[in-house]
Amino acid sequence: MPISDAPQTQSQRRPPLLEFNDVNTYYGELHVLKGVNYRVGDGEIVCLLGGNASGKSTTMKTILGIVRPKSGVVTYAGKPIDRLPTAERVRRGIAPVPEARRLFPRMTVLENLEMGAFTRTDTDEIEADKERVFGLFPRVKERLTQLAGTLSGGEQQMVAMGRALMARPKLLCMDEPSMGLSPAFVEQVFDIIQAINKQGTSIFMVEQNANMALSIADYGYVLQTGEVVLQGSAQSLRDNEMVQQAYLGEMKAQ
Amino acid sequence: MESWEILLQQVINGVSLGAMYALLALGFTMVYGIIELINFAHFNIFMVGSFIAMWVMQLMGFTGQSHVLYGLPLTAMLVFVLCVTMVATGVLGALIERFGLRALRGVSGTAPMITTIGLSYILFNVILLGAGADTKNYSNPMPNIRWEFGDAVLHLRELILWGVSLVLMLALHYFVRRTKMGKAMQATAQDQEAARMVGVDVDRVVIITFFIGSALAGAAGVIFGLYYNYTNFGIGYTAGLRAFTAAVLGGIGNIPGAMLGGVLIGLIESLGGQYLAVRWTDVIIFSILVLVLVFRPTGLLGRASPTKS
Ligand SMILES: Nc1ncnc2c1ncn2[C@@H]1O[C@H](COP(=O)(O)OP(=O)(O)OP(=O)(O)O)[C@@H](O)[C@H]1O
Ligand SMILES: [Mg+2]
């Protein structure tokens, strides 16, 4: 039975930018998302926690339209988007930082950033956004002519985030941004995510690093084998015993 | 003939063949680079192209070598015939993609490739039934201007054909490297899902790739007709297989590789025919195909398979 402290916290939340209503997603026969409901308020950071194979990446792919739900509705900015091709969703302001970064390996860093702005035609604004990305990630500016496939994992993560920002998204969907990064750099990444959010971008983030994620998030969901088993404000999740046991093990030990 | 004259003559012949194979190899390699499909219909798109150009020239009143043009009229006429043919074969390729192959995209195994063989047969038989099995004498308005180097001869038409190939290849290079659609093609070849996620319309990229590859095959068909002065419903197989070998030799999926492979195969064909025997040409070329596949499957310049980095 899904446990929820929804009534009071939900009502205090911002108006929704993204909503899932009873979404079911399959890969062939495999039922991965089982009637899930999410809501990302305008301007919020929402994090999605869950064990391996629980359907977190599938959630992200469902938002982008890489996979289509069999039933249920995904609403973005007040309109259902289930029928829209991925390109149109990107045009409307959804940008992903996918699992394992997925840069274009034989393009340079600069070309990768420019691909991020693929759906845009406002040349001057694109240049301005490049500068904004360089401001957030000075390292990226030093590597512009290097082929993306030869970057270190941490550098690839910066470029992947930069590429997503080049779309000037309203909603940034990040799949495990801290994966494979050193602890010091993880902290830096989360600071940057917060900065991006302050500049007005809503963030839906999958994370295994629950401690960090909940420290910057407004709201969170816990997914277990395709079902949302728990949701609430970040604070309430941090206090929740089940979350502490399953995802915040190291906090308990302190 | 002195031995250097023979060599020079065969190099001239080889480059001419190579220019044609390179254009044809580009279509194989581009489609493979984007969706990892060997498109055997490409063989006969090339063949259809040579017929379309011949018909266009006949409609304009050129049959056989009846009229010879010079200067601007010749240029204008060749550009016109090339454009019409390339658009026609490009549209043919796009239709094949849209109605013959799109539904099979993402189907694993050999089904899509077998389908391209079937589509290739359809084109083959349409021309066979429509135009007959006899060899057609090709329309050719190019004057017989020639330069002699000892006993080796370079014809004006060879220079023209080299020029046409070069211009088309440079245009393709510019398109792929510099334009937005070209970048979208590169991105799709490198990581299709990531391309989708930055907003690339992959269906559009694929159909445009078929269009461009098929248009280049049409240009190769024109070159074939003008070079050999004939066409026939069966020309797709020999030239197609050689161009396919060229694509594999250069590294399938790799655009500069297809150009290099094309010229090498052309040279091997003409030099092998001279110094060994013409009947050995196919043996040599297919031995190269097998040897490359066994010992260096990535080809000379490396295969551009869509890697998940
Ligand atoms: N393209 C696919 N085809 C078939 N099954 C898939 C596909 N992608 C994912 N799955 C399956 O769907 C289930 C959920 O996968 P998903 O990638 O959403 O998990 P996840 O929560 O992101 O896990 P992780 O934390 O390991 O990244 C898994 O059992 C996985 O094997
Ligand atoms: Mg995942």
Side-chain angles (χ1 to χ4, degrees):
Chain A
M1 219 20 231
I3 322 156
S4 168
D5 63 347
Q8 57 287 40
T9 14
Q10 279 281 25
S11 60
Q12 290 159 11
R13 294 180 65 191
R14 312 268 195 94
L17 179 61
L18 177 83
E19 268 183 310
F20 272 46
N21 284 310
D22 294 320
V23 169
N24 288 283
T25 301
Y26 291 74
Y27 293 109
E29 294 287 291
L30 184 67
H31 194 174
V32 178
L33 295 183
K34 300 166 183 161
V36 296
N37 293 281
Y38 308 115
R39 169 176 164 168
V40 178
D42 203 358
E44 285 180 339
I45 299 181
V46 173
C47 84
L48 179 60
L49 306 175
N52 290 125
S54 56
K56 304 183 301 298
S57 296
T58 304
T59 297
M60 293 297 159
K61 289 183 190 173
T62 306
I63 299 171
L64 265 302
I66 302 290
V67 289
R68 302 280 165 103
K70 193 170 242 176
S71 66
V73 187
V74 179
T75 312
Y76 169 77
K79 297 196 183 77
I81 56 169
D82 313 87
R83 309 249 156 263
L84 298 179
T86 304
E88 180 57 28
R89 300 182 198 208
V90 174
R91 218 167 281 130
R92 292 189 186 188
I94 307 178
V97 181
E99 202 172 21
R101 289 91 199 219
R102 305 293 287 268
L103 298 177
F104 301 111
R106 291 184 306 283
M107 286 189 186
T108 64
V109 168
L110 181 62
E111 287 174 314
N112 267 277
L113 292 180
E114 286 169 350
M115 281 310 293
F118 185 78
T119 56
R120 298 172 57 185
T121 49
D122 47 344
T123 325
D124 294 347
E125 299 294 297
I126 291 175
E127 285 307 313
D129 283 351
K130 251 184 225 167
E131 292 305 321
R132 173 179 165 222
V133 168
F134 298 154
L136 288 168
F137 308 98
R139 276 287 278 278
V140 169
K141 195 172 181 177
E142 295 163 20
R143 291 272 180 277
L144 286 181
T145 57
Q146 192 174 335
L147 290 185
T150 65
L151 294 171
S152 80
E155 290 167 339
Q156 289 193 16
Q157 183 61 31
M158 295 188 234
V159 177
M161 288 169 69
R163 181 179 68 181
L165 290 176
M166 290 301 293
R168 197 176 272 193
K170 292 199 199 61
L171 176 65
L172 197 54
C173 297
M174 313 183 86
D175 198 341
E176 304 202 29
S178 75
M179 187 167 58
L181 304 181
S182 66
F185 190 56
V186 169
E187 230 165 288
Q188 209 182 323
V189 164
F190 279 95
D191 285 347
I192 291 169
I193 293 172
Q194 249 180 328
I196 293 168
N197 177 248
K198 293 236 166 69
Q199 295 174 1
T201 307
S202 310
I203 290 170
F204 195 17
M205 168 175 62
V206 166
E207 254 308 329
Q208 303 278 6
N209 193 334
N211 200 358
M212 272 288 193
L214 289 174
S215 74
I216 64 165
D218 297 299
Y219 203 81
Y221 294 88
V222 177
L223 198 59
Q224 224 166 58
T225 56
E227 286 175 280
V228 174
V229 292
L230 193 63
Q231 60 173 300
S233 67
Q235 189 53 51
S236 74
L237 288 183
R238 272 145 74 92
D239 296 340
N240 183 289
E241 208 158 303
M242 177 196 140
V243 174
Q244 286 183 1
Q245 275 175 12
Y247 302 101
L248 304 175
E250 70 274 21
M251 238 171 85
K252 237 184 135 187
Q254 281 165 5
Chain B
M1 278 172 104
E2 301 281 332
S3 61
W4 71 267
E5 291 166 343
I6 295 174
L7 180 64
L8 181 61
Q9 185 67 63
Q10 293 309 338
V11 169
I12 291 172
N13 296 349
V15 171
S16 304
L17 292 172
M20 180 178 80
Y21 294 150
L23 286 179
L24 198 44
L26 283 168
F28 282 120
T29 243
M30 289 171 72
V31 167
Y32 187 88
I34 299 275
I35 53 174
E36 292 194 320
L37 172 73
I38 307 283
N39 175 21
F40 285 104
H42 200 63
F43 285 30
N44 281 327
I45 290 175
F46 157 77
M47 181 272 290
V48 170
S50 80
F51 272 83
I52 291 174
M54 183 183 72
W55 289 327
V56 170
M57 285 192 279
Q58 284 173 358
L59 283 176
M60 292 166 73
F62 294 88
T63 49
Q65 277 70 54
S66 60
H67 300 60
V68 173
L69 298 179
Y70 297 88
L72 202 58
L74 177 64
T75 312
M77 139 120 196
L78 287 178
V79 168
F80 178 76
V81 171
L82 267 171
C83 287
V84 172
T85 307
M86 289 176 72
V87 169
T89 53
V91 169
L92 178 62
L95 289 173
I96 284 176
E97 192 284 323
R98 179 65 190 84
F99 298 106
L101 297 171
R102 184 173 296 180
L104 292 167
R105 185 115 42 84
V107 173
S108 57
T110 51
M113 191 186 77
I114 303 285
T115 306
T116 68
I117 296 178
L119 290 163
S120 201
Y121 265 104
I122 293 175
L123 297 177
F124 180 82
N125 282 297
V126 166
I127 295 292
L128 175 59
L129 293 174
D134 55 317
T135 292
K136 312 278 187 267
N137 187 3
Y138 214 75
S139 326
N140 193 340
M142 292 191 283
N144 192 12
I145 295 174
R146 42 195 280 157
W147 294 272
E148 291 176 9
F149 306 91
D151 278 339
V153 181
L154 173 66
H155 293 90
L156 174 67
R157 67 168 174 201
E158 284 160 338
L159 273 186
I160 292 176
L161 301 183
W162 297 355
V164 167
S165 305
L166 196 64
V167 166
L168 289 174
M169 285 190 249
L170 288 175
L172 178 70
H173 186 80
Y174 173 84
F175 176 81
V176 172
R177 291 277 148 185
R178 293 271 171 272
T179 68
K180 210 163 177 186
M181 183 43 74
K183 297 259 176 177
M185 281 171 138
Q186 288 183 50
T188 307
Q190 292 179 28
D191 188 335
Q192 187 175 126
E193 196 170 294
R196 235 181 252 287
M197 287 189 290
V198 295
V200 171
D201 181 344
V202 170
D203 283 346
R204 202 156 148 246
V205 167
V206 172
I207 201 164
I208 288 175
T209 303
F210 269 82
F211 179 91
I212 294 173
S214 304
L216 294 174
V222 180
I223 289 182
F224 181 96
L226 294 178
Y227 186 70
Y228 287 111
N229 274 322
Y230 80 90
T231 192
N232 169 295
F233 73 103
I235 64 168
Y237 288 96
T238 327
L241 274 173
R242 285 174 189 174
F244 175 65
T245 307
V248 174
L249 176 62
I252 190 142
N254 185 318
I255 288 179
M259 301 179 189
L260 175 67
V263 174
L264 286 178
I265 291 292
L267 287 171
I268 288 165
E269 180 178 336
S270 67
L271 295 173
Q274 174 69 39
Y275 293 107
L276 295 166
V278 173
R279 63 177 187 279
W280 285 101
T281 324
D282 278 332
V283 176
I284 297 167
I285 287 172
F286 294 117
S287 304
I288 290 171
L289 179 59
V290 172
L291 290 174
V292 170
L293 288 175
V294 172
F295 292 106
R296 198 178 161 86
T298 56
L300 294 175
L301 298 191
R303 171 198 202 129
S305 66
T307 43
K308 315 279 176 267
S309 69

